[in-house]
Amino acid sequence: MLEYLNGLEEVTTYLNDNFLKNKINLIKDAINERKFLLTFVGQFSSGKSRLINNILGIDILPVRILESTQVPTFIKYGQNERAIVFNEDSTTVEINIKDIKEIWLGNKRDKFNNIAHIEIFINSSVLKNGLVIADTPGVNSTVKKHERLTREILKSSEEIVYVISKAVTEIDKLFLKEIIDLGLRVICVRTYMDTIKSSEENIEDVVLYDKNSLEELGDKSIIDIYHISNEKDSIWFNYIEDLKKYISVDITKNIDTKLEESCRLRLAKIKDELYSQLENKKNNLENILKNNEDSLFQEVNNIERVLSRLEAKLYNQSNNYKRSINDISLEAKKDLI
């Protein structure tokens, strides 16, 4: 596959497309590092962080925090639990995992006020084979920087867990379409199922409505939708086990297969984009050639018309010369006589 990637990279160089070249390099990095980035995305307060805590079985990510304190967080495998803060000025600080919540809550803002992202290392069998879980800021964030950071993380992702707290909205559909256009597969999770009152809504209708809303996107990239609750005393909490099984079995135990599958899907989108660009370039060159050819023929016709007029003038001038010579000859004969 790396040879194929190098071939596509040559095409991006020819087209001078650094955006697609960067995408290809991110895929190459994922293959070389054997890293499968599973990114949790959703609107603000949809329950992403709490869901990740429940999946990993550890209370590591803060919940109910202010939006302005959120930063992208990557959870990786490590025998010794620790965390590293990456600052915007490229400096790093290693901290205790217990201090992460304090940082997010802004209690240590004087020391950590320019965080780019945080990496957390925990000893979890789910992460051992190369799976990395990313928690991102909300896609409906009022802080534009947060949305930009989330979109940057999407470019490096292999698969997406899209979390919603209620029925699918138009904002959700737009962002899901954006994710699908990147060639990424999506697992949808609806949280807060415990807040639905059966006396007011039919649960089966709610589930069916969600599935139909996602099917309206008209793409097979959405794998499934899980309906859960992050509250341990709710019957919907048990359905998190189905999602945990998918992650630990379908992804973790088949990391190489899933990684190759994800790369091929993303590459298919890149290949289509490159093909479209090459077709446009070809058509533009053909149009330039055709226009030049038409201009050339027109110029040739103009030259031929000028030559014709010149020949006619020369012919007339030649006749005039002949008449003049004849007249001179007759005058000479008269003079001679």
Side-chain angles (χ1 to χ4, degrees):
M1 180 175 283
L2 287 174
E3 186 177 346
Y4 179 65
L5 284 165
N6 290 333
L8 289 180
E9 191 173 0
E10 287 182 16
V11 177
T12 62
T13 301
Y14 168 71
L15 293 170
N16 196 27
D17 192 327
N18 292 324
F19 178 73
L20 289 182
K21 179 182 284 190
N22 182 52
K23 280 188 174 183
I24 292 171
N25 286 329
L26 289 172
I27 294 173
K28 288 167 74 172
D29 290 342
I31 294 172
N32 291 328
E33 296 173 15
R34 196 172 174 268
K35 179 185 70 177
F36 190 98
L37 183 59
L38 181 66
T39 301
F40 283 66
V41 181
Q43 294 195 41
F44 181 67
S45 296
S46 59
K48 300 186 301 296
S49 300
R50 198 171 181 188
L51 176 58
I52 293 172
N53 285 343
N54 287 328
I55 289 172
L56 295 175
I58 179 172
D59 187 19
I60 192 171
L61 298 176
V63 294
R64 299 194 182 109
I65 60 173
L66 295 174
E67 181 182 0
S68 60
T69 63
Q70 253 186 331
V71 293
T73 307
F74 300 90
I75 307 173
K76 303 179 177 181
Y77 175 78
Q79 289 186 341
N80 300 317
E81 294 186 350
R82 60 195 176 97
I84 300 176
V85 174
F86 290 78
N87 295 314
E88 292 176 350
D89 59 4
S90 299
T91 59
T92 60
V93 181
E94 186 167 333
I95 62 171
N96 190 298
I97 287 181
K98 294 178 181 178
D99 293 332
I100 293 174
K101 291 184 180 181
E102 294 298 315
I103 293 173
W104 264 314
L105 291 169
N107 296 337
K108 296 190 177 184
R109 189 176 293 275
D110 57 330
K111 187 176 181 181
F112 301 98
N113 57 3
N114 65 336
I115 301 175
H117 71 273
I118 296 176
E119 291 186 4
I120 300 172
F121 298 85
I122 62 172
N123 192 343
S124 170
S125 59
V126 176
L127 307 172
K128 196 169 185 177
N129 284 348
L131 176 66
V132 177
I133 290 178
D135 188 17
T136 62
V139 297
N140 61 332
S141 174
T142 57
V143 182
K144 294 303 176 184
K145 177 185 174 182
H146 286 176
E147 285 199 12
R148 178 178 57 79
L149 290 171
T150 298
R151 284 181 166 85
E152 286 298 316
I153 295 170
L154 289 178
K155 296 175 186 177
S156 306
S157 303
E158 307 302 329
E159 202 161 284
I160 304 299
V161 177
Y162 193 87
V163 184
I164 55 177
S165 59
K166 52 187 177 182
V168 181
T169 65
E170 288 304 313
I171 292 176
D172 294 319
K173 288 181 180 180
L174 287 172
F175 209 84
L176 281 167
K177 181 68 168 57
E178 189 174 328
I179 292 169
I180 291 168
D181 287 342
L182 291 172
L184 298 170
R185 300 188 74 190
V186 184
I187 306 158
C188 286
V189 180
R190 177 167 176 174
T191 56
Y192 295 103
M193 289 298 292
D194 55 293
T195 62
I196 297 176
K197 297 179 180 179
S198 57
S199 59
E200 298 177 3
E201 292 183 89
N202 185 298
I203 297 296
E204 291 181 357
D205 290 341
V206 170
V207 172
L208 183 61
Y209 177 83
D210 290 339
K211 288 185 176 181
N212 290 338
S213 296
L214 295 174
E215 286 177 0
E216 287 177 7
L217 294 171
D219 194 281
K220 295 181 180 179
S221 296
I222 297 179
I223 301 169
D224 204 350
I225 180 168
Y226 296 85
H227 293 81
I228 62 100
S229 169
N230 282 313
E231 301 295 337
K232 293 183 179 180
D233 58 353
S234 170
I235 59 171
W236 292 99
F237 180 82
N238 298 325
Y239 289 96
I240 294 178
E241 287 299 320
D242 294 334
L243 178 58
K244 287 171 65 175
K245 183 179 178 181
Y246 172 80
I247 294 172
S248 61
V249 176
D250 289 55
I251 297 180
T252 302
K253 290 187 177 180
N254 298 284
I255 201 84
D256 293 322
T257 302
K258 289 289 289 184
L259 184 58
E260 183 177 348
E261 178 185 309
S262 170
C263 289
R264 290 192 182 281
L265 288 171
R266 291 158 68 191
L267 282 173
K269 293 288 185 180
I270 294 173
K271 185 193 72 174
D272 290 344
E273 177 61 27
L274 288 175
Y275 181 82
S276 177
Q277 287 190 40
L278 287 170
E279 277 290 307
N280 289 336
K281 193 173 184 69
K282 174 190 168 188
N283 292 333
N284 289 336
L285 289 172
E286 287 178 345
N287 288 333
I288 291 171
L289 180 62
K290 185 177 183 301
N291 291 334
N292 287 343
E293 190 177 15
D294 291 342
S295 298
L296 179 63
F297 283 137
Q298 185 177 356
E299 192 63 27
V300 169
N301 289 333
N302 290 337
I303 292 171
E304 286 179 346
R305 283 195 295 271
V306 171
L307 286 173
S308 295
R309 288 197 295 269
L310 182 59
E311 286 176 357
K313 287 182 178 181
L314 288 173
Y315 178 78
N316 293 333
Q317 193 65 38
S318 175
N319 288 335
N320 291 335
Y321 288 154
K322 287 179 181 179
R323 284 196 297 270
S324 296
I325 291 170
N326 288 334
D327 291 342
I328 292 169
S329 179
L330 289 173
E331 288 294 328
K333 284 180 182 180
K334 288 179 181 180
D335 290 342
L336 183 61
I337 292 171

